[in-house]
Amino acid sequence: MTYLLRKLQLDEKPRKMLYLFLMGDLLFIVLHIVSKIARMLDWGTTIRDGQFIIYYDLTLAESFQYIKEYWIILLFVWLIFKNKNYQYLGWALLFTYLLFDDMLSFHEGLATIILKGVGVDPLYVLYGSLRYQDFGELGVSVFFGAVFLSLIAYHYLRGGREVRTVFHYLVGGLLLIVFFGVVNDTLNRVFDQVNTKVMFEITRLIEDGGEMIGMSIMAWYVFLLSDSSEKKEEA
């Protein structure tokens, strides 16, 4: 843990890795803005392609996000099996869920099935762009979050001071991702895509851009965990 705290505070190399992650996020955010402006001004051709819009599924920015989630999973799996750190099992499962949810829109699809099953129209608009579907998606996210966080809480309570300190950082990173990916997503739906288009676009950009930055910080920190564990073995 001493090594990890020293890396967080003093070591330049890990900070460079974080800067690379964040610069990658910034690139996709800038490309998104340029693409939106090009569409408004009817300028250019390739830059207007949907691949540059960060909130579309399976785009360049989304693919970068998938890679970060995949790396996080691999690092947690490495910590679990290489160093017998089973307290990271809940974290590995949580990010596995997040990866497949991002790629396959799992919580959106399940919310639709549940709402239709109870006789509610998922696309019924309550206010602005806020639909029953959005509340269903929020409910599904909360349910699965509670399942994985229960396992994380179990290992937190059984762990010592070192484990709890690490979990505090991990929970902080997770809350950052959740704030942008879930809370801000619901806020975005308050604005109508036609009548309040500017606010809709701004909040949508904040949602997906913030989620990308949060995932970069999490990937960087999990890398520090694996690196500090390896250094600890060598010591």
Side-chain angles (χ1 to χ4, degrees):
M1 179 56 62
T2 302
Y3 173 81
L4 177 59
L5 293 176
R6 188 168 65 250
K7 296 284 272 188
L8 283 170
Q9 296 172 1
L10 301 175
D11 202 325
E12 182 66 24
K13 290 183 180 179
R15 287 205 298 270
K16 288 181 178 178
M17 174 173 286
L18 177 60
Y19 297 156
L20 287 174
F21 274 125
L22 296 180
M23 290 305 293
D25 296 331
L26 180 61
L27 171 64
F28 290 116
I29 291 172
V30 170
L31 286 173
H32 169 89
I33 295 173
V34 172
S35 180
K36 282 291 184 177
I37 293 174
R39 289 182 175 203
M40 290 173 55
L41 301 178
D42 194 24
W43 171 78
T45 53
T46 304
I47 191 62
R48 289 190 289 172
D49 191 272
Q51 283 295 318
F52 297 106
I53 306 300
I54 67 173
Y55 51 66
Y56 289 170
D57 291 333
L58 303 176
T59 59
L60 296 173
E62 280 284 310
S63 298
F64 184 48
Q65 196 79 332
Y66 303 154
I67 291 171
K68 287 184 285 187
E69 290 168 342
Y70 178 62
W71 285 344
I72 290 172
I73 295 166
L74 289 181
L75 289 169
F76 275 132
V77 169
W78 185 85
L79 285 166
I80 292 169
F81 291 102
K82 177 78 165 49
N83 300 307
K84 304 297 187 290
N85 290 327
Y86 297 108
Q87 65 265 24
Y88 296 119
L89 178 60
W91 290 104
L93 292 174
L94 173 62
F95 278 91
T96 300
Y97 166 79
L98 290 176
L99 173 60
F100 283 100
D101 183 58
D102 282 347
M103 293 180 67
L104 305 176
S105 301
F106 175 76
H107 78 284
E108 290 94 332
L110 183 57
T112 302
I113 292 173
I114 293 174
L115 288 170
K116 288 183 176 180
V118 297
V120 175
D121 180 8
L123 300 181
Y124 181 81
V125 178
L126 298 169
Y127 179 81
S129 297
L130 193 62
R131 310 157 300 170
Y132 279 121
Q133 173 71 20
D134 301 304
F135 285 104
E137 292 176 12
L138 182 61
V140 171
S141 297
V142 169
F143 172 78
F144 281 99
V147 171
F148 295 121
L149 288 176
S150 296
L151 182 57
I152 290 170
Y154 169 78
H155 287 291
Y156 174 85
L157 295 173
R158 286 178 57 88
R161 181 179 177 183
E162 184 172 327
V163 171
R164 293 188 179 193
T165 301
V166 169
F167 274 37
H168 290 164
Y169 284 109
L170 290 172
V171 169
L174 180 63
L175 288 176
L176 185 63
I177 295 170
V178 169
F179 172 77
F180 287 107
V182 178
V183 178
N184 202 68
D185 176 57
T186 304
L187 174 63
N188 169 253
R189 295 296 181 178
V190 173
F191 300 102
D192 186 86
Q193 193 169 357
V194 177
N195 298 322
T196 53
K197 186 174 182 179
V198 173
M199 287 304 300
F200 179 86
E201 290 292 342
I202 290 174
T203 53
R204 192 78 184 270
L205 177 59
I206 292 173
E207 172 198 339
D208 288 87
E211 191 176 357
M212 290 183 68
I213 291 171
M215 195 66 72
S216 289
I217 294 173
M218 180 65 81
W220 167 73
Y221 181 71
V222 177
F223 170 78
L224 290 186
L225 284 179
S226 63
D227 190 44
S228 64
S229 177
E230 189 173 356
K231 295 291 185 180
K232 190 175 180 180
E233 283 189 348
E234 294 175 357

